[in-house]
């Protein structure tokens, strides 16, 4: 049998944390290996337990979820831990910064339980978790306010077609939807996505979305 996905749950609200733990532990393919209520404990437990996924709140005492995410999954971390951030609609800035800090995706706290479970499985599998509508509303709106005056030099390395694919990624389209839009195969889309990430030095689609808004590839 395949070993269950090991999850660490970090949230300072007891009811929410308990609810997450109960929902996750009820799944045969998931296992909660720890829980905590502040960011410092999240970092310590994650480093000690090495879970497959950390479900991380943003606003927590002692150390907030953004800094905790940066310490666990930031660009300077040699062996990053996968982090799934949970938040609410009114935390645009925090979500954007969490994604920049290395989070593999985010969910809203009021999302259905099935979304949380699928999100954990998606992130554990190494994929980025992005909801198209939430991406546009949260990342797009905030990134537009801090966009630098000029484009990133790295963006010039992309071909016109790669830039087009990057714009569609930033709009929240899946590989299938991009393939349909551009009338190409999904395998071709995957090749373009891989090239874009490699050329820009990005880890996944989450970072690609942040990059696109941050450098004016798309408008919010």
């Amino acid at each position: 049998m395949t070993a269950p996905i090991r999850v660490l749950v970090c949230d300072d609200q007891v009811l929410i944390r308990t609810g997450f733990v109960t929902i996750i532990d009820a799944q045969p393919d998931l296992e909660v290996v720890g829980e905590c209520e502040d960011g410092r404990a999240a970092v310590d437990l994650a480093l000690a337990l090495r879970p497959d996924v950390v479900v991380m709140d943003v606003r927590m005492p002692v150390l907030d979820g953004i800094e905790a995410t940066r310490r666990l999954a930031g660009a300077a971390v040699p062996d990053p831990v996968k982090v799934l951030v949970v938040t609410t609609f009114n935390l645009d800035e925090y979500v954007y910064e969490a994604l920049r800090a290395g989070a593999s995706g985010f969910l809203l706290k009021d999302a259905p339980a099935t979304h949380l479970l699928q999100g954990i499985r998606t992130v554990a599998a190494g994929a980025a978790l992005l909801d198209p509508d939430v991406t546009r509303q949260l990342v797009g709106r905030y990134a537009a306010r801090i966009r630098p005056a000029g484009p990133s030099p790295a963006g010039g390395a992309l071909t016109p077609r790669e830039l087009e694919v990057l714009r569609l990624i930033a709009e929240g389209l899946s590989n299938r939807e991009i393939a349909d839009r551009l009338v190409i195969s999904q395998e071709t889309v995957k090749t373009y996505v891989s090239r874009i990430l490699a050329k820009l030095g990005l880890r996944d689609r989450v970072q690609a979305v942040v990059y696109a808004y941050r450098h004016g590839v798309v408008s919010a």
Side-chain angles (χ1 to χ4, degrees):
M1 294 180 61
T2 303
I5 296 169
R6 303 170 70 253
V7 183
L8 173 63
V9 178
C10 308
D11 197 299
D12 66 326
Q13 298 182 57
V14 177
L15 288 178
I16 291 179
R17 189 172 72 249
T18 301
F20 284 173
V21 169
T22 301
I23 292 168
I24 295 167
D25 262 344
Q27 304 302 305
D29 62 329
L30 304 177
E31 175 190 7
V32 175
V33 294
E35 58 178 285
C36 58
E37 61 183 17
D38 68 73
R40 184 172 307 237
V43 173
D44 291 342
L45 276 176
L47 294 178
L49 300 173
R50 299 304 301 183
D52 298 305
V53 178
V54 177
V55 175
M56 182 84 74
D57 186 20
V58 173
R59 284 181 167 174
M60 291 188 292
V62 185
L63 190 70
D64 64 44
I66 295 171
E67 182 58 31
T69 297
R70 184 174 292 109
R71 295 186 186 186
L72 292 173
V77 178
D79 187 17
V81 177
K82 297 182 178 70
V83 177
L84 174 61
V85 170
V86 289
T87 187
T88 55
F89 261 122
N90 63 345
L91 293 176
D92 302 10
E93 176 176 351
Y94 295 104
V95 172
Y96 180 79
E97 293 300 336
L99 295 179
R100 291 188 68 195
S104 293
F106 60 84
L107 283 173
L108 300 178
K109 282 190 176 180
D110 59 358
T114 53
H115 289 196
L116 171 65
L117 298 173
Q118 188 55 43
I120 292 171
R121 296 180 180 112
T122 298
V123 170
L129 181 70
L130 288 170
D131 178 278
D133 292 333
V134 176
T135 298
R136 283 190 287 269
Q137 292 181 52
L138 293 178
V139 181
R141 188 165 63 241
Y142 180 65
R145 297 204 297 267
I146 61 171
R147 183 178 301 149
S152 169
L158 300 182
T159 66
R161 182 60 116 181
E162 289 166 350
L163 279 171
E164 190 173 15
V165 171
L166 179 57
R167 291 188 188 99
L168 296 178
I169 292 174
E171 289 179 15
L173 272 65
S174 66
N175 284 354
R176 179 184 294 277
E177 291 168 332
I178 294 174
D180 291 343
R181 179 78 65 87
L182 300 181
V183 195
I184 56 179
S185 70
Q186 289 190 62
E187 287 303 317
T188 300
V189 173
K190 290 180 182 178
T191 298
Y192 278 126
V193 172
S194 295
R195 288 177 183 171
I196 291 167
L197 298 180
K199 286 185 177 182
L200 300 180
L202 305 175
R203 186 182 62 199
D204 53 34
R205 293 172 77 101
V206 173
Q207 292 189 351
V209 171
V210 173
Y211 176 96
Y213 281 104
R214 183 83 169 89
H215 298 290
V217 176
V218 292
S219 299

